[in-house]
Every structure is written in structure tokens, then in C-alpha cells.
Amino acid sequence: MLTIESFGATKLDQLGNQFFLHDAGGAGPSLKYQGVAWVEGQFGAWKPIGAEQAGSGYQVAWKNGTADQYVVWNLDGNGNYLGNATGYVAGSDASLKAAELAFQQDLNSDGIVGP
């Protein structure tokens, strides 16, 4: 198992071509889209780069390969995609910078966590 990100209370782990949202004890759901486990390469170069529990569900931050494109998803407690928390945005977008605070992570690699 490869840990992609472990800031905050939720770890984003990769096992094979699937991704999991784990708590400190290693429990948690797989990342799902339309009720099925999301697999690496399913959306081209888009990859999850961060995860955090949010209320009774989760949020997952995504980056599009080497492009300056990001999106944050809202998930339910079972890891199912519910909708986007942000639009598809550049790293300089205020909504992405604000999301960095919840993720406790520099998502856009600008050296600053938050706005």
C-alpha cells in the first residue's frame, strides 16, 4: 500500500489501481464514482492528491497531471462521489486556496497553505 497523503485525520492510500480513505486505524472506504471503485487512469491524467473527512463524509482534492487544474469532490461516508465542492480551477483560485486549510495541505504547491 502506498500512502499518497497523510496530513490531517484522513490518509489517502493507493493499493494497486484503487484509492482508499483511511483513518488512523486503517479503516475507511474506497474512493467511488457512480457506486463503483474509481481506478487510476479512469479520468485520464486526473489523480487524487488529498483527502479529509468532512462532516459525515469526505472531500477529495484532484490534480490534472502536470497541468495547473484542480477540483475538490464531496463524497458520502461510503466514499461515493456526490458532487464538486469547487469548480475545475487553476491553482491560483480562491476556492482551492481556501480548501487547503481543511486539507491541511499545500494543494497547488505554491508554498503556502491557505489564501
Side-chain angles (χ1 to χ4, degrees), residues 70 72 85-101 107:
Y70 302 84
V72 176
T86 67
Y88 293 89
V89 299
S92 60
D93 187 83
S95 65
L96 181 71
K97 290 181 177 188
E100 289 182 334
L101 296 173
L107 298 171

Side-chain angles (χ1 to χ4, degrees), residues 6-18:
S6 61
F7 301 105
T10 305
K11 288 192 327 178
L12 175 62
D13 291 325
Q14 182 176 0
L15 181 60
N17 65 352
Q18 293 186 20

Side-chain angles (χ1 to χ4, degrees), residues 2 6 20 24 28 33 46 50 53 68 74 79 83 87 91 93 96:
L2 172 67
S6 61
F20 295 85
Y33 182 74
W46 285 96
Q53 189 162 13
D68 184 31
N74 289 320
D93 187 83
L96 181 71

Side-chain angles (χ1 to χ4, degrees), residues 59-86:
Q59 287 193 319
V60 172
W62 296 77
K63 184 174 187 331
N64 186 5
T66 59
D68 184 31
Q69 294 178 316
Y70 302 84
V71 67
V72 176
W73 280 10
N74 289 320
L75 309 175
D76 67 16
N78 293 316
N80 293 298
Y81 170 77
L82 297 174
N84 292 352
T86 67

